[in-house]
């Protein structure tokens, strides 16, 4: 029997390196491919790409031949938008790690915007802390986070927050495939309440919330994460003959 093809997607300022601990403990019968996705930040990547992360996810899925996609943070929201699009790629399942979701437009207010605008660098700092295994001094980590924030810039931040703002309008009833949602109980970026509400809104979702865990469960709690992922993948139903329309593969992609 051929291995199940699983593609791993990092968030807005991440890289495939964040998935290395998870790949090292890949469940038996699973072939994991970590993609380095070039999320467009500055509005210069061409028409239709900035503000349309779902299309880029579709490109990645088809380029890697994924049967299951595991997506973290911003990529989780991009994957969710892809799953409700009319051009969704055929997948057996999806895994959303630390997704952002609110069910109602009125759940967003000016305080929400202020929180994510003025604390955005702290989310980036947490990613640097995890990816460096705590080896960076606090001052160096803070300075690096500010530099990353400048690289992402206002366009990148607007892509992130725009995806968050769109979540109340997503037709989630269209997502019929099995979905595993993973959250950290101590996540200050994507609170576990977002994950719980998203699990309630999806027709076939399973929720796992890890205690003593922040925004990066796959790196902070690799063992529990891979066990939950392995159990989820092992329980998937047999592949269907469902097919979907294709998009042109015109976006460069690196995989590891």
């Amino acid at each position: 029997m051929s291995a199940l093809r699983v593609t791993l997607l990092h968030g807005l300022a991440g890289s495939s390196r964040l998935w290395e601990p998870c790949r090292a403990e890949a469940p038996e019968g699973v072939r994991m491919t970590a993609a380095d996705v070039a999320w467009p930040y500055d509005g210069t990547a061409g028409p239709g790409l900035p503000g349309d992360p779902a299309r880029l996810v579709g490109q990645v899925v088809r380029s890697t031949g994924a049967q299951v996609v595991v997506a973290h943070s911003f990529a989780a929201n991009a994957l969710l938008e892809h799953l409700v699009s009319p051009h969704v790629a055929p997948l057996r399942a999806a895994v959303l790690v630390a997704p952002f979701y609110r069910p109602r437009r009125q759940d967003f207010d000016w305080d929400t915007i202020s929180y994510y605008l003025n604390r955005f660098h702290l989310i980036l700092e947490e990613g640097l802390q995890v990816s460096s295994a705590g080896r960076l001094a606090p001052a160096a980590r803070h300075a690096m986070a500010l530099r990353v924030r400048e690289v992402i810039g206002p366009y990148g931040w607007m892509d992130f927050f725009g995806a968050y703002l769109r979540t109340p309008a997503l037709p989630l009833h269209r997502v019929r495939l099995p979905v595993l949602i993973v959250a950290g109980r101590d996540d200050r970026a994507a609170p576990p309440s977002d994950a719980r509400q998203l699990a309630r809104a999806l027709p076939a979702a399973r929720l796992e919330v890890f205690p003593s865990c922040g925004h990066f469960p796959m790196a902070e709690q690799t063992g529990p994460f891979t066990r939950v992922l392995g159990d989820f993948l092992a329980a998937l139903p047999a592949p269907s003959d469902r097919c979907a329309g294709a998009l042109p593969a015109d976006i460069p992609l690196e995989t590891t």
Side-chain angles (χ1 to χ4, degrees), residues 59-148:
Q59 299 279 356
V60 175
V61 170
R62 292 178 172 86
S63 296
T64 59
Q67 295 170 293
V68 177
V69 176
V70 182
H72 174 246
S73 191
F74 174 74
N77 283 78
L79 174 58
L80 198 58
E81 292 195 346
H82 171 70
L83 293 177
V84 301
S85 75
H87 301 296
V88 60
L91 291 171
R92 290 182 60 186
V95 181
L96 308 175
V97 184
F100 296 87
Y101 176 76
R102 298 193 183 187
R104 304 174 304 166
R105 292 170 61 94
Q106 55 265 40
D107 292 332
F108 294 96
D109 54 22
W110 294 111
D111 287 340
T112 306
I113 296 175
S114 177
Y115 179 87
Y116 284 98
L117 180 63
N118 296 309
R119 295 176 62 89
F120 189 55
H121 66 289
L122 298 180
I123 302 174
L124 302 176
E125 265 195 68
E126 184 180 354
L128 291 168
Q129 168 77 357
V130 171
S131 62
S132 68
R135 291 187 296 270
L136 285 174
R141 188 171 66 243
H142 179 72
M144 289 176 66
L146 293 180
R147 287 198 295 271
V148 173

Side-chain angles (χ1 to χ4, degrees), residues 5 9 11 14 40 51-52 83 88 90 93 120 125 144 147 162 193 204 206 255-256:
R5 299 187 302 276
L9 302 182
D52 189 11
L83 293 177
V88 60
F120 189 55
E125 265 195 68
M144 289 176 66
R147 287 198 295 271
S193 57
R206 168 183 167 185
T255 58
T256 56

